[in-house]
Coordinates of all heavy atoms in Angstrom, one line a residue:
M1 N -14.7 13.8 11.6 CA -15.3 14.2 10.3 C -15.7 12.8 9.7 O -15.2 12.4 8.6 CB -14.3 14.8 9.5 CG -13.8 16.2 10.0 SD -15.2 17.4 10.1 CE -15.4 17.6 8.3
E2 N -16.6 12.0 10.4 CA -16.9 10.7 9.9 C -18.5 10.6 9.8 O -19.1 11.2 10.7 CB -16.3 9.5 10.6 CG -14.9 9.5 10.5 CD -14.3 8.7 11.6 OE1 -14.9 8.4 12.6 OE2 -13.1 8.2 11.4
V3 N -18.9 9.9 8.8 CA -20.5 9.8 8.7 C -20.8 8.4 9.1 O -20.4 7.4 8.5 CB -20.8 10.0 7.2 CG1 -22.3 9.9 7.0 CG2 -20.3 11.4 6.8
P4 N -21.7 8.3 10.1 CA -22.1 7.0 10.5 C -23.2 6.4 9.5 O -24.1 7.1 9.2 CB -22.8 7.2 12.0 CG -23.2 8.7 12.0 CD -22.2 9.3 11.0
V5 N -22.9 5.2 9.2 CA -23.8 4.5 8.2 C -24.0 3.1 8.7 O -23.1 2.3 8.6 CB -23.3 4.5 6.8 CG1 -24.2 3.8 5.9 CG2 -23.0 6.0 6.2
G6 N -25.2 2.8 9.3 CA -25.5 1.4 9.7 C -24.6 0.7 10.7 O -24.1 -0.3 10.4
G7 N -23.9 1.6 11.5 CA -22.9 1.1 12.4 C -21.5 1.2 11.9 O -20.5 1.1 12.6
L8 N -21.3 1.3 10.6 CA -19.9 1.5 10.0 C -19.6 3.0 10.0 O -20.5 3.8 10.0 CB -19.9 1.1 8.6 CG -20.1 -0.4 8.4 CD1 -20.2 -0.8 7.0 CD2 -18.9 -1.2 9.0
R9 N -18.4 3.3 10.2 CA -17.9 4.7 10.1 C -17.1 4.8 8.9 O -16.0 4.2 8.6 CB -17.0 5.0 11.3 CG -17.8 5.2 12.6 CD -17.0 4.9 13.9 NE -15.6 5.3 13.8 CZ -15.0 6.1 14.6 NH1 -15.7 6.7 15.6 NH2 -13.8 6.5 14.5
L10 N -17.7 5.5 7.9 CA -17.0 5.6 6.6 C -16.2 7.1 6.6 O -16.7 8.0 7.2 CB -18.1 5.7 5.5 CG -18.9 4.3 5.3 CD1 -20.0 4.6 4.3 CD2 -18.0 3.2 5.1
P11 N -15.1 7.0 6.0 CA -14.4 8.3 5.9 C -14.9 9.3 5.0 O -15.6 8.9 4.1 CB -13.0 7.8 5.4 CG -13.3 6.6 4.5 CD -14.5 5.8 5.3
V12 N -14.8 10.5 5.4 CA -15.2 11.7 4.5 C -14.3 11.7 3.3 O -13.1 11.6 3.4 CB -15.2 13.0 5.2 CG1 -15.6 14.1 4.3 CG2 -16.2 12.9 6.4
A13 N -14.8 11.8 2.2 CA -14.0 12.0 0.8 C -13.0 13.0 0.9 O -13.2 14.0 1.5 CB -14.9 12.1 -0.3
G14 N -11.8 12.6 0.7 CA -10.7 13.5 0.6 C -9.7 13.4 1.9 O -8.7 13.9 1.9
N15 N -10.2 12.8 2.9 CA -9.3 12.4 4.0 C -8.6 11.3 3.8 O -8.9 10.1 3.9 CB -10.1 12.3 5.3 CG -9.3 12.2 6.5 OD1 -8.0 12.1 6.4 ND2 -9.9 12.4 7.7
K16 N -7.3 11.5 3.4 CA -6.4 10.4 3.0 C -5.8 9.6 4.1 O -5.0 8.7 4.0 CB -5.3 10.8 2.1 CG -5.8 11.4 0.7 CD -4.7 11.7 -0.2 CE -5.2 11.9 -1.7 NZ -5.7 13.2 -1.9
N17 N -6.0 10.1 5.4 CA -5.5 9.5 6.5 C -6.4 8.5 7.3 O -6.2 8.1 8.3 CB -5.1 10.7 7.5 CG -4.2 10.1 8.6 OD1 -3.3 9.1 8.4 ND2 -4.2 10.6 9.9
V18 N -7.4 8.2 6.5 CA -8.4 7.3 7.1 C -8.6 6.1 6.1 O -8.8 6.4 5.0 CB -9.8 8.1 7.2 CG1 -10.8 7.1 7.8 CG2 -9.5 9.2 8.2
N19 N -8.6 4.9 6.6 CA -8.8 3.7 5.7 C -10.3 3.5 5.5 O -11.2 4.2 6.1 CB -8.0 2.6 6.2 CG -8.5 1.9 7.5 OD1 -9.6 2.3 7.9 ND2 -7.8 1.2 8.1
V20 N -10.6 2.4 4.8 CA -12.0 2.2 4.5 C -12.8 1.7 5.8 O -14.0 1.8 5.7 CB -12.1 1.0 3.5 CG1 -11.5 1.4 2.1 CG2 -11.4 -0.2 4.0
R21 N -12.2 1.4 6.9 CA -12.8 1.1 8.1 C -13.0 2.3 9.1 O -13.4 2.2 10.1 CB -12.2 -0.2 8.8 CG -12.3 -1.4 8.0 CD -11.8 -2.5 8.9 NE -10.4 -2.3 9.3 CZ -9.4 -3.2 9.1 NH1 -9.6 -4.4 8.5 NH2 -8.0 -2.8 9.4
G22 N -12.5 3.5 8.6 CA -12.6 4.7 9.4 C -11.3 4.8 10.3 O -11.5 5.7 11.2
E23 N -10.4 3.9 10.3 CA -9.3 4.0 11.2 C -8.2 5.0 10.5 O -8.0 4.9 9.3 CB -8.7 2.6 11.4 CG -9.7 1.7 12.0 CD -9.4 0.2 11.9 OE1 -8.6 -0.1 10.9 OE2 -9.7 -0.5 12.7
S24 N -7.5 5.6 11.3 CA -6.4 6.5 10.9 C -5.1 6.0 11.4 O -5.0 5.3 12.5 CB -6.6 7.9 11.2 OG -6.6 8.1 12.6
M25 N -4.0 6.2 10.7 CA -2.7 5.8 11.1 C -1.8 7.1 11.4 O -1.8 7.9 10.5 CB -2.0 5.0 10.0 CG -0.6 4.4 10.4 SD -0.7 3.2 11.5 CE -0.9 1.8 10.4
N26 N -1.5 7.2 12.7 CA -0.7 8.5 13.0 C 0.7 8.1 13.4 O 0.9 6.9 13.6 CB -1.4 9.2 14.2 CG -2.9 9.7 13.7 OD1 -3.0 10.2 12.6 ND2 -3.8 9.4 14.6
C27 N 1.6 9.1 13.5 CA 2.9 8.8 13.8 C 3.1 8.4 15.2 O 2.6 8.9 16.1 CB 3.7 10.2 13.6 SG 5.4 10.0 14.0
Y28 N 3.9 7.3 15.3 CA 4.2 6.7 16.6 C 5.2 7.5 17.4 O 5.1 7.6 18.6 CB 4.8 5.3 16.5 CG 4.9 4.5 17.7 CD1 3.9 3.8 18.2 CD2 6.2 4.5 18.3 CE1 4.0 3.1 19.4 CE2 6.4 3.7 19.6 CZ 5.3 3.2 20.0 OH 5.4 2.4 21.2
D29 N 6.0 8.3 16.8 CA 7.0 9.0 17.4 C 6.6 10.6 17.8 O 7.4 11.3 18.5 CB 8.3 9.1 16.6 CG 9.1 7.8 16.6 OD1 8.9 7.1 17.7 OD2 10.0 7.6 15.8
C30 N 5.5 11.0 17.3 CA 5.0 12.3 17.7 C 4.4 12.3 19.1 O 3.4 11.6 19.3 CB 4.1 12.8 16.6 SG 4.8 13.6 15.2
P31 N 5.0 13.0 20.1 CA 4.5 12.8 21.4 C 3.2 13.4 21.8 O 2.4 12.8 22.4 CB 5.8 13.4 22.2 CG 6.3 14.4 21.2 CD 6.1 13.9 19.8
D32 N 3.0 14.7 21.3 CA 1.8 15.4 21.7 C 0.8 15.8 20.6 O -0.4 16.1 20.9 CB 2.3 16.8 22.4 CG 3.1 16.5 23.6 OD1 2.9 15.5 24.3 OD2 4.2 17.2 23.7
I33 N 1.3 15.7 19.4 CA 0.3 16.1 18.3 C 0.0 14.8 17.6 O 0.6 13.9 17.5 CB 1.0 17.2 17.4 CG1 2.2 16.6 16.7 CG2 1.3 18.4 18.1 CD1 2.8 17.5 15.5
I34 N -1.2 14.9 16.8 CA -1.6 13.8 15.9 C -1.0 14.2 14.5 O -1.5 15.1 13.9 CB -3.1 13.7 15.9 CG1 -3.5 13.2 17.4 CG2 -3.6 12.6 14.9 CD1 -5.0 13.1 17.6
A35 N 0.0 13.4 14.1 CA 0.5 13.7 12.8 C 0.2 12.5 11.9 O 0.5 11.3 12.3 CB 1.9 14.0 12.8
P36 N -0.2 12.7 10.7 CA -0.5 11.6 9.8 C 0.8 10.8 9.5 O 1.8 11.4 9.2 CB -1.1 12.2 8.6 CG -1.4 13.7 8.9 CD -0.7 13.9 10.1
A37 N 0.8 9.5 9.5 CA 1.9 8.7 9.1 C 2.0 8.6 7.6 O 1.0 8.6 6.9 CB 1.9 7.3 9.6
V38 N 3.2 8.8 7.2 CA 3.4 8.7 5.7 C 4.3 7.4 5.3 O 4.5 7.1 4.1 CB 4.2 9.9 5.2 CG1 3.3 11.1 5.2 CG2 5.5 10.0 5.9
A39 N 4.9 6.7 6.3 CA 5.7 5.6 6.1 C 5.7 4.6 7.3 O 5.3 5.0 8.4 CB 7.2 6.0 5.8
V40 N 6.3 3.5 7.0 CA 6.4 2.4 8.2 C 8.0 2.1 8.3 O 8.5 1.7 7.3 CB 5.7 1.2 7.7 CG1 5.9 0.1 8.8 CG2 4.1 1.6 7.8
C41 N 8.4 2.1 9.4 CA 9.8 1.7 9.8 C 10.0 0.2 9.3 O 9.3 -0.6 9.8 CB 10.1 1.9 11.2 SG 11.6 1.3 11.8
R42 N 11.0 0.1 8.5 CA 11.2 -1.4 8.0 C 11.8 -2.3 9.2 O 11.8 -3.5 9.0 CB 12.1 -1.4 6.8 CG 13.7 -1.1 7.1 CD 14.5 -1.2 5.9 NE 14.2 -2.4 5.2 CZ 14.8 -3.6 5.4 NH1 15.8 -3.8 6.2 NH2 14.4 -4.7 4.6
R43 N 12.3 -1.6 10.3 CA 12.9 -2.4 11.4 C 11.8 -2.8 12.4 O 11.7 -4.0 12.8 CB 13.9 -1.7 12.0 CG 15.1 -1.4 11.2 CD 16.0 -2.6 11.2 NE 17.3 -2.3 10.5 CZ 18.2 -3.1 10.3 NH1 18.1 -4.4 10.7 NH2 19.4 -2.8 9.7
C44 N 11.1 -1.9 13.0 CA 10.2 -2.2 14.0 C 8.6 -2.1 13.6 O 7.8 -2.5 14.3 CB 10.4 -1.2 15.2 SG 9.9 0.5 14.9
G45 N 8.3 -1.6 12.4 CA 7.0 -1.5 11.9 C 6.2 -0.3 12.4 O 5.1 -0.3 12.2
A46 N 6.9 0.6 13.2 CA 6.2 1.8 13.7 C 5.8 2.7 12.5 O 6.7 2.9 11.5 CB 7.0 2.6 14.6
A47 N 4.6 3.3 12.5 CA 4.2 4.3 11.6 C 4.8 5.6 11.9 O 4.8 6.0 13.0 CB 2.7 4.4 11.4
V48 N 5.4 6.3 11.0 CA 6.0 7.5 11.2 C 5.7 8.6 10.3 O 5.2 8.4 9.1 CB 7.6 7.4 11.2 CG1 8.1 6.7 12.4 CG2 8.0 6.8 9.9
C49 N 5.6 9.9 10.7 CA 5.3 11.1 9.9 C 6.5 11.4 9.0 O 7.7 10.9 9.2 CB 4.9 12.2 10.8 SG 6.2 12.9 11.7
R50 N 6.4 12.4 8.2 CA 7.4 12.8 7.4 C 8.7 13.4 8.1 O 9.8 13.2 7.7 CB 7.0 13.9 6.3 CG 7.9 14.0 5.1 CD 7.0 14.7 4.0 NE 6.0 14.1 3.3 CZ 6.1 13.2 2.4 NH1 7.4 12.8 2.0 NH2 5.2 12.6 1.8
E51 N 8.4 14.0 9.3 CA 9.4 14.6 10.0 C 10.3 13.4 10.7 O 11.5 13.6 10.9 CB 8.9 15.5 11.1 CG 9.9 16.2 12.0 CD 9.2 17.0 13.1 OE1 8.1 17.4 12.9 OE2 9.9 17.3 14.2
H52 N 9.7 12.4 11.2 CA 10.3 11.3 11.9 C 10.8 10.2 11.0 O 11.5 9.4 11.5 CB 9.5 10.8 13.1 CG 9.2 11.8 14.1 ND1 8.1 12.4 14.5 CD2 10.2 12.2 15.0 CE1 8.3 13.2 15.6 NE2 9.6 13.2 15.8
A53 N 10.5 10.2 9.8 CA 11.0 9.1 9.0 C 12.4 9.5 8.5 O 12.6 10.6 7.9 CB 10.0 9.0 7.7
H54 N 13.3 8.6 8.7 CA 14.6 8.7 8.2 C 14.8 7.9 6.9 O 14.7 6.6 7.0 CB 15.6 8.3 9.2 CG 17.0 8.6 8.7 ND1 17.8 7.7 8.1 CD2 17.9 9.7 8.8 CE1 19.0 8.1 7.8 NE2 19.1 9.3 8.2
V55 N 15.2 8.5 5.8 CA 15.3 7.8 4.5 C 16.8 7.7 4.2 O 17.4 8.8 4.1 CB 14.5 8.6 3.4 CG1 14.7 7.8 2.0 CG2 13.1 8.7 3.8
S56 N 17.2 6.6 3.9 CA 18.6 6.4 3.4 C 18.4 5.3 2.2 O 17.4 4.9 1.9 CB 19.5 5.8 4.5 OG 19.0 4.6 5.0
H57 N 19.6 5.2 1.7 CA 19.6 4.2 0.5 C 20.8 3.2 0.6 O 21.9 3.7 1.1 CB 19.8 5.0 -0.8 CG 18.6 5.9 -1.2 ND1 18.6 7.2 -0.7 CD2 17.5 5.6 -1.8 CE1 17.3 7.6 -1.1 NE2 16.8 6.8 -1.9
V58 N 20.5 2.0 0.5 CA 21.6 0.9 0.7 C 21.7 0.1 -0.5 O 20.7 -0.1 -1.2 CB 21.2 0.1 1.9 CG1 21.2 0.9 3.3 CG2 19.8 -0.6 1.8
Q59 N 22.9 -0.3 -0.7 CA 23.1 -1.3 -1.9 C 22.6 -2.7 -1.5 O 22.6 -3.1 -0.3 CB 24.7 -1.4 -2.0 CG 25.4 -0.2 -2.7 CD 24.8 0.2 -4.1 OE1 24.5 1.2 -4.3 NE2 24.5 -0.9 -4.9
V60 N 22.2 -3.3 -2.5 CA 21.5 -4.6 -2.4 C 22.5 -5.7 -2.9 O 23.0 -5.5 -4.1 CB 20.2 -4.7 -3.1 CG1 19.5 -6.0 -2.9 CG2 19.3 -3.6 -2.6
Q61 N 22.7 -6.7 -2.2 CA 23.5 -7.8 -2.7 C 22.7 -9.1 -2.6 O 21.9 -9.4 -1.6 CB 24.7 -8.0 -1.8 CG 25.8 -6.9 -2.0 CD 27.0 -7.1 -1.2 OE1 27.1 -7.8 -0.3 NE2 28.1 -6.4 -1.9
D62 N 22.8 -9.9 -3.6 CA 22.2 -11.2 -3.6 C 23.2 -12.2 -3.8 O 24.3 -12.0 -4.5 CB 21.2 -11.4 -4.8 CG 19.9 -10.6 -4.6 OD1 19.5 -10.5 -3.4 OD2 19.3 -10.2 -5.6
V63 N 23.0 -13.4 -3.1 CA 23.9 -14.6 -3.3 C 23.6 -15.2 -4.6 O 22.5 -15.6 -4.9 CB 23.8 -15.5 -2.1 CG1 24.7 -16.8 -2.4 CG2 24.1 -14.9 -0.9
I64 N 24.6 -15.3 -5.6 CA 24.4 -15.9 -6.8 C 25.5 -17.0 -6.9 O 26.7 -16.8 -7.0 CB 24.7 -14.9 -8.0 CG1 23.9 -13.6 -7.8 CG2 24.6 -15.5 -9.4 CD1 22.4 -13.9 -8.1
G65 N 25.0 -18.2 -6.9 CA 25.9 -19.3 -6.9 C 26.9 -19.4 -5.7 O 26.4 -19.4 -4.5
T66 N 28.1 -19.3 -5.9 CA 29.0 -19.2 -4.8 C 29.5 -17.8 -4.5 O 30.4 -17.6 -3.6 CB 30.3 -20.1 -5.0 OG1 30.9 -19.6 -6.2 CG2 30.0 -21.6 -5.1
G67 N 29.1 -16.9 -5.2 CA 29.5 -15.5 -5.0 C 28.3 -14.6 -4.7 O 27.2 -14.9 -4.3
R68 N 28.5 -13.3 -4.8 CA 27.5 -12.3 -4.6 C 27.5 -11.3 -5.8 O 28.4 -11.0 -6.4 CB 27.9 -11.4 -3.3 CG 27.7 -12.1 -2.1 CD 28.2 -11.2 -0.9 NE 28.1 -12.0 0.4 CZ 27.0 -11.8 1.2 NH1 26.1 -11.0 0.9 NH2 27.0 -12.6 2.4
A69 N 26.2 -10.8 -6.0 CA 26.1 -9.8 -7.0 C 25.4 -8.5 -6.4 O 24.5 -8.6 -5.6 CB 25.0 -10.4 -8.1
T70 N 26.1 -7.5 -6.6 CA 25.6 -6.1 -6.2 C 24.8 -5.5 -7.2 O 25.3 -5.3 -8.3 CB 26.8 -5.3 -5.8 OG1 27.6 -6.0 -4.8 CG2 26.4 -3.9 -5.2
H71 N 23.6 -5.1 -6.9 CA 22.8 -4.4 -7.9 C 23.2 -3.0 -8.2 O 23.8 -2.3 -7.3 CB 21.3 -4.5 -7.4 CG 20.7 -5.8 -7.2 ND1 20.0 -6.4 -8.2 CD2 20.8 -6.8 -6.3 CE1 19.6 -7.7 -7.9 NE2 20.2 -7.9 -6.8
D72 N 22.9 -2.5 -9.3 CA 23.4 -1.2 -9.7 C 22.7 -0.1 -8.8 O 23.2 0.9 -8.5 CB 23.1 -0.9 -11.2 CG 23.9 -1.8 -12.1 OD1 25.0 -2.3 -11.6 OD2 23.6 -2.0 -13.2
Q73 N 21.3 -0.2 -8.7 CA 20.6 0.8 -8.0 C 20.5 0.5 -6.4 O 20.0 -0.7 -6.2 CB 19.2 0.9 -8.6 CG 19.2 1.4 -10.0 CD 19.8 2.8 -10.2 OE1 19.4 3.7 -9.4 NE2 20.5 3.0 -11.2
P74 N 20.6 1.4 -5.6 CA 20.3 1.2 -4.1 C 18.9 1.2 -3.9 O 18.1 1.6 -4.7 CB 21.0 2.4 -3.5 CG 20.9 3.5 -4.5 CD 21.1 2.8 -5.9
L75 N 18.5 0.5 -2.8 CA 17.0 0.5 -2.5 C 16.7 1.5 -1.3 O 17.7 1.9 -0.7 CB 16.6 -0.9 -2.0 CG 17.2 -1.6 -0.8 CD1 16.7 -1.1 0.5 CD2 16.9 -3.1 -1.0
R76 N 15.5 1.9 -1.2 CA 15.1 2.9 -0.2 C 15.0 2.2 1.1 O 14.4 1.1 1.2 CB 13.9 3.6 -0.6 CG 13.4 4.7 0.4 CD 12.3 5.6 -0.1 NE 11.3 4.7 -0.7 CZ 10.3 5.1 -1.5 NH1 10.3 6.3 -2.0 NH2 9.4 4.3 -2.0
H77 N 15.5 2.8 2.2 CA 15.5 2.2 3.5 C 14.9 3.4 4.5 O 15.5 4.3 4.7 CB 17.0 2.0 3.8 CG 17.2 1.3 5.1 ND1 17.3 -0.1 5.2 CD2 17.5 1.8 6.3 CE1 17.6 -0.4 6.5 NE2 17.7 0.7 7.1
I78 N 13.7 3.1 5.0 CA 13.0 4.0 5.8 C 13.0 3.4 7.3 O 12.5 2.3 7.5 CB 11.6 4.3 5.3 CG1 11.7 5.0 3.9 CG2 10.9 5.3 6.3 CD1 10.3 5.3 3.3
T79 N 13.4 4.3 8.3 CA 13.4 3.8 9.6 C 12.9 5.0 10.4 O 12.9 6.1 10.1 CB 14.8 3.4 10.1 OG1 15.7 4.6 9.7 CG2 15.4 2.2 9.5
C80 N 12.4 4.6 11.7 CA 12.0 5.7 12.7 C 13.3 6.1 13.3 O 14.4 5.5 13.2 CB 11.1 4.9 13.7 SG 11.8 3.7 14.8
L81 N 13.1 7.1 14.3 CA 14.2 7.7 14.9 C 14.9 6.6 15.8 O 16.1 6.6 15.8 CB 13.7 8.9 15.7 CG 14.8 9.6 16.5 CD1 15.8 10.3 15.6 CD2 14.1 10.7 17.4
T82 N 14.2 5.9 16.5 CA 14.8 4.9 17.4 C 15.6 3.9 16.7 O 16.7 3.5 17.1 CB 13.7 4.1 18.2 OG1 12.9 5.1 18.9 CG2 14.2 3.1 19.1
C83 N 15.1 3.3 15.5 CA 15.9 2.3 14.8 C 16.9 2.9 14.1 O 18.0 2.3 13.9 CB 14.9 1.6 13.9 SG 13.6 0.6 14.7
R84 N 16.9 4.2 13.7 CA 17.9 4.9 13.0 C 19.1 5.0 14.1 O 20.3 4.8 13.7 CB 17.5 6.3 12.5 CG 18.6 7.1 12.0 CD 19.4 6.5 10.8 NE 20.5 7.4 10.5 CZ 21.6 7.0 9.8 NH1 21.6 5.7 9.4 NH2 22.5 7.7 9.4
T85 N 18.7 5.4 15.2 CA 19.7 5.5 16.3 C 20.5 4.2 16.6 O 21.6 4.0 16.8 CB 19.1 6.1 17.6 OG1 18.5 7.3 17.3 CG2 20.2 6.3 18.7
A86 N 19.6 3.2 16.6 CA 20.2 1.8 16.9 C 21.1 1.3 15.8 O 22.2 0.8 16.1 CB 19.1 0.9 17.1
E87 N 20.8 1.6 14.5 CA 21.6 1.3 13.4 C 22.9 2.0 13.4 O 23.9 1.4 13.0 CB 20.9 1.6 12.0 CG 19.8 0.6 11.8 CD 19.1 1.0 10.5 OE1 19.3 2.1 9.9 OE2 18.5 0.1 9.8
A88 N 22.9 3.2 13.9 CA 24.1 4.0 13.9 C 25.0 3.8 15.1 O 26.1 4.2 15.3 CB 23.9 5.5 13.8
S89 N 24.5 3.1 16.1 CA 25.2 2.9 17.3 C 26.3 1.7 17.3 O 26.2 1.0 16.4 CB 24.3 2.6 18.5 OG 23.7 1.3 18.3
Ligands
ZN1 ZN1 6.2 12.2 13.9
ZN2 ZN1 11.7 1.6 14.0

């Protein structure tokens, strides 16, 4: 669903899975189907769909002087299935 314009491939309006160069980002972990990616694994950088994205929340600590400060709010931590399995092993 792309319109050729002077050698460039422009996305059709409304297709949010296509960037300005006409490239789409699909899930790395979907084996047989083309699923639009909604996130990027923070460990390996693989793009993943909503089904394969594992979302967790972790506390953040910063080194302050000679000690540590734990922030009140946890941050969002998105990983792919492979990295989630590795983190839990
Ligand atoms: Zn997927
Ligand atoms: Zn990963």
Side-chain angles (χ1 to χ4, degrees):
M1 299 294 291
E2 294 162 343
V3 181
V5 177
L8 294 174
R9 289 155 34 121
L10 299 177
V12 173
N15 186 348
K16 295 189 170 81
N17 194 33
V18 178
N19 69 14
V20 294
R21 293 188 302 232
E23 302 162 332
S24 61
M25 181 76 83
N26 298 314
C27 178
Y28 188 82
D29 282 341
C30 276
D32 299 321
I33 63 169
I34 296 174
V38 296
V40 172
C41 173
R42 76 175 311 267
R43 294 282 186 180
C44 71
V48 287
C49 69
R50 201 165 286 283
E51 180 184 338
H52 286 115
H54 181 270
V55 180
S56 59
H57 295 86
V58 296
Q59 286 299 137
V60 182
Q61 291 187 334
D62 283 329
V63 175
I64 306 288
T66 56
R68 288 177 181 263
T70 302
H71 295 263
D72 292 335
Q73 297 293 319
L75 62 78
R76 184 169 50 201
H77 183 91
I78 298 177
T79 52
C80 70
L81 181 61
T82 301
C83 293
R84 171 62 184 158
T85 304
E87 286 179 339
S89 65

